[in-house]
Amino acid sequence: MCNWDFNYPFLCHGRLGVNAENLVGASVQNFPSREQNDESRTAAEKSCTYKMDGPCRGHCLIFNNIEFGELLTQRKGSEKDAEELERVFTWLGLKVETYNDQTSTQIHERLKNWQSSENWKDSDCLVCCILSHGKSGEIYGTDAQLIPIRTIMSYFTASQCPLLARKPKLFFIQACQGEKTQKPVYLDVDVPGLLGADAQSAGVPPLQPSIPDEADFLLGMATVDGYLSFRHIREGTWYIQALCTELQQLVPRGEDILSILTEVNKHVSFRADPEGLKKQMPQPAFTLRKKLVFPVPREPPPSQQP
């Protein structure tokens, strides 16, 4: 969030000993025009928003694991998620690559190839979607080998992938993060508001601008740590379908990605299984330094296209 302070000089009379004689021959203060203020405000707003008008909007990598042989259960319905993600991010201007049924070794190889790709030079952002089984902080390859989510993201830190430094990197993980099931909590609707150590360092500033190695990341998790996430065998997962729906509805309104993910949280939190006993709560985490706003596409959203 950026704040702009406009300071104007004040002429004080009497109490501070300023009188008319002090003003004789004084120069007239030239205040900025409304147009100049608007221009400076627009420039300041742009400085608080990631640049998204480059030659290439970016690349979206989709890892869609469905078949695990006899090692893990089949993820029926995940193809619906992959198709919807491809449609939505293509609509948003990204080039989409989908990789189906990848082992842990193949996932590492794909990520390593993209890490060294020259495509990032002209790209505005990276989006990586992983649809698989998982457990706390990890996802499975189709060989039932676990990969830490932090390892996946580490391929694209500022030091490991310099061409993506200062650019937003979005990761959306559709995978269980445990075995527990979130239970519903029933609230009294007539009780409003029921829900509801700063460190400071001193010293000499660096001689040249720098950013933390893990800056500019966003991690969207389908569920909080320790819990299951849910998938319909024909309609796809609660989280990915909500993500695609809210992107289509809110990008045209100019909403930033964190506002959109808040709506995704709301969307998923309202859902429950047919018996009303199972709930799900997504969880975004981020090190973004600016607002991320996708430019509004010229075409209507995929859901409105024939």
Side-chain angles (χ1 to χ4, degrees), residues 181-184 186 228 230 238 268-269 271-280:
T181 300
Q182 295 187 57
K183 304 295 184 182
Y186 301 100
L228 296 167
F230 298 101
W238 294 2
V268 175
S269 70
R271 296 198 62 168
D273 68 316
E275 290 75 30
L277 300 177
K278 298 177 180 179
K279 303 288 286 184
Q280 181 177 327

Side-chain angles (χ1 to χ4, degrees), residues 4-304:
W4 301 276
D5 295 324
F6 298 97
N7 299 314
Y8 297 102
F10 293 90
L11 295 177
C12 301
H13 298 272
R15 188 172 57 182
L16 295 182
V18 178
N19 54 40
E21 283 135 3
N22 299 126
L23 303 179
V24 175
S27 60
V28 177
Q29 174 71 41
N30 292 320
F31 293 98
S33 66
R34 180 175 181 180
E35 290 76 12
Q36 290 173 323
N37 276 335
D38 289 343
E39 289 177 2
S40 63
R41 183 183 294 271
T42 300
E45 288 173 346
K46 286 184 177 179
S47 72
C48 289
T49 305
Y50 285 106
K51 183 178 179 295
M52 295 290 284
D53 58 358
C56 174
R57 181 77 69 244
H59 294 266
C60 174
L61 315 179
I62 301 173
F63 293 88
N64 181 31
N65 286 349
I66 299 177
E67 302 289 347
F68 296 81
E70 297 181 357
L71 301 172
L72 296 168
T73 58
Q74 183 186 46
R75 298 185 62 255
K76 295 180 180 180
S78 189
E79 65 279 0
K80 174 70 173 177
D81 285 347
E83 292 169 2
E84 196 68 12
L85 286 168
E86 182 172 354
R87 292 174 65 205
V88 169
F89 281 107
T90 298
W91 169 68
L92 290 175
L94 285 83
K95 298 177 181 179
V96 178
E97 296 284 347
T98 300
Y99 304 106
N100 293 314
D101 295 331
Q102 301 286 290
T103 65
S104 58
T105 300
Q106 290 173 322
I107 291 173
H108 281 296
E109 290 175 349
R110 299 284 190 190
L111 294 173
K112 190 171 183 178
N113 289 337
W114 278 103
Q115 178 190 56
S116 59
S117 173
E118 291 294 318
N119 289 328
W120 302 123
K121 182 178 180 180
D122 296 323
S123 297
D124 293 330
C125 69
L126 157 70
V127 174
C128 181
C129 306
I130 298 182
L131 319 175
S132 189
H133 288 302
K135 60 187 301 185
S136 179
E138 299 174 300
I139 62 97
Y140 281 102
T142 54
D143 54 356
Q145 297 300 306
L146 287 164
I147 306 175
I149 294 169
R150 285 189 64 87
T151 298
I152 293 171
M153 298 171 68
S154 70
Y155 281 96
F156 302 101
T157 60
S159 61
Q160 296 300 314
C161 187
L163 292 180
L164 272 175
R166 302 178 185 273
K167 298 178 181 180
K169 297 161 277 283
L170 314 183
F171 290 78
F172 298 105
I173 310 296
Q174 171 54 55
C176 292
Q177 289 297 287
E179 299 296 329
K180 293 187 290 185
T181 300
Q182 295 187 57
K183 304 295 184 182
V185 176
Y186 301 100
L187 308 176
D188 294 330
V189 296
D190 60 345
V191 183
L194 183 61
L195 297 179
D198 292 335
Q200 180 174 323
S201 62
V204 180
L207 296 179
Q208 59 185 15
S210 64
I211 59 172
D213 195 30
E214 297 187 2
D216 307 305
F217 278 89
L218 181 145
L219 175 62
M221 299 294 298
T223 184
V224 295
D225 189 40
Y227 287 88
L228 296 167
S229 59
F230 298 101
R231 168 176 32 86
H232 192 283
I233 61 174
R234 290 186 299 275
E235 298 175 1
T237 59
W238 294 2
Y239 176 66
I240 294 298
Q241 292 303 311
L243 174 64
C244 292
T245 296
E246 298 301 339
L247 284 169
Q248 292 179 81
Q249 291 182 354
L250 299 179
V251 166
R253 301 181 192 176
E255 297 284 357
D256 69 282
I257 190 64
L258 296 183
S259 298
I260 292 173
L261 289 181
T262 300
E263 289 301 312
V264 172
N265 280 5
K266 178 181 177 181
H267 187 141
V268 175
S269 70
F270 282 164
R271 296 198 62 168
D273 68 316
E275 290 75 30
L277 300 177
K278 298 177 180 179
K279 303 288 286 184
Q280 181 177 327
M281 190 67 244
Q283 182 181 43
F286 63 94
T287 59
L288 298 178
R289 298 175 298 113
K290 302 179 181 182
K291 284 188 175 183
L292 174 57
V293 180
F294 284 101
V296 179
R298 296 181 180 180
E299 299 294 325
S303 60
Q304 299 178 14

